[in-house]
Amino acid sequence: MLELRAISKRYGGVVATDDVTLDVVRGEVHALIGPNGAGKTTIFNMIAGVYAPDAGEIVFDGEPIHGLRPHQVCAAGIGRTFQIVKPFAGLTVLDNVMVGAFLRSENAQAARKLAGDIVERLGLGPKRDLPASSLTLPDRKRLEVARALATRPKLLLLDEVMAGLRPTEIDTMVATFRDLVRETGLTILLTEHVMRTVMALSDRVVVLNYGQKIAEGAPDAVARDPRVLESYLGSAGAPT
């Protein structure tokens, strides 16, 4: 579904990503991991149209998308969340999700129905009429995911959505994403520091370090890779 072909991005003399190539298979969950500053969010921003790569190509569903603006990338079928969530504080939870739903809904009634279904699925039903400003951080994370899902993406980019969640909340979110992939065919590319999520949810993992891809494969295999243990997970061993 998504192909990154030798993409690179520099900020002055700093190399954020260097000749990164990866493929995201339709209907699977792929994880992009690495230490802080490895280039993960830069790659997300290039996919989403925030930045154009300095070199290389980004192809989605057979069409090049590098150079498109964020709203054009969203319309093509890519939704995303952000590490720092910023809901419309003065709107209700439901109205926040409706903003995303209007992308593909014919009218307000259809947008409200879609938004309501997503709010319920993400466990926010009892808070649908509360202002977003009243939500806790975990609920704001759920709202961020709900807003992205409301655009009906083919590919969903999840940028550290599990940060700040308790283990039981993480398990609930993992189960929700598994159900979405199974029932709707949604494809997910996630970046995450919570290894509990990466190991439980991902079909394939790509590891970045200093802007370069250093490993790729099944989660268990990547967790045993000496380069990964040294650069990201620490040399003591694989995650539990």
Side-chain angles (χ1 to χ4, degrees):
M1 173 176 280
L2 179 71
E3 303 170 69
L4 307 186
R5 300 173 177 170
I7 62 171
S8 297
K9 184 67 179 178
R10 294 174 179 267
Y11 301 105
V14 177
V15 180
T17 59
D18 185 12
D19 197 32
V20 174
T21 293
L22 66 89
D23 296 329
V24 176
V25 178
R26 189 182 308 273
E28 292 188 352
V29 179
H30 290 236
L32 185 64
I33 68 172
N36 290 329
K40 306 180 297 297
T41 297
T42 296
I43 286 180
F44 267 37
N45 282 332
M46 286 191 286
I47 295 171
V50 178
Y51 307 129
D54 295 329
E57 297 180 314
I58 303 174
V59 179
F60 178 66
D61 258 354
E63 298 292 333
I65 62 169
H66 50 281
L68 295 185
R69 298 178 64 84
H71 70 278
Q72 295 171 315
V73 174
C74 184
I78 298 178
R80 75 165 294 182
T81 67
F82 292 84
Q83 289 182 29
I84 301 174
V85 294
K86 294 182 178 180
F88 299 106
L91 298 182
T92 67
V93 168
L94 183 65
D95 287 345
N96 264 272
V97 182
M98 282 184 66
V99 172
F102 274 118
L103 177 66
R104 304 191 196 280
S105 298
E106 296 180 356
N107 51 53
Q109 183 179 0
R112 184 170 295 274
K113 173 64 168 60
L114 174 61
D117 291 344
I118 294 172
V119 163
E120 292 293 334
R121 184 159 207 164
L122 270 294
L124 291 170
K127 302 177 181 179
R128 59 186 287 158
D129 295 323
L130 296 179
S133 60
S134 70
L135 297 181
T136 62
L137 175 60
D139 283 342
R140 291 201 302 271
K141 291 278 188 175
R142 293 188 184 92
L143 178 57
E144 182 79 356
V145 174
R147 293 199 301 174
L149 287 174
T151 66
R152 294 183 179 179
K154 302 174 188 175
L155 171 65
L156 180 61
L157 307 179
L158 298 176
D159 196 349
E160 297 191 24
V161 295
M162 303 299 182
L165 301 186
R166 296 189 296 268
T168 54
E169 294 169 332
I170 291 173
D171 292 343
T172 298
M173 289 287 279
V174 166
T176 298
F177 290 131
R178 281 177 172 167
D179 290 343
L180 284 167
V181 170
R182 184 179 65 251
E183 296 170 12
T184 70
L186 180 68
T187 304
I188 295 175
L189 175 61
L190 63 90
T191 178
E192 190 59 69
H193 285 297
V194 180
M195 294 307 299
R196 181 190 190 97
T197 301
V198 174
M199 301 302 291
L201 187 58
S202 305
D203 297 297
R204 194 165 186 83
V205 178
V206 172
V207 185
L208 297 179
N209 194 31
Y210 295 110
Q212 295 183 325
K213 184 172 74 173
I214 62 169
E216 181 175 8
D220 289 344
V222 167
R224 295 191 299 267
D225 189 303
R227 295 168 298 178
V228 177
L229 298 176
E230 180 180 356
S231 69
Y232 182 69
L233 301 176
S235 59
T240 58

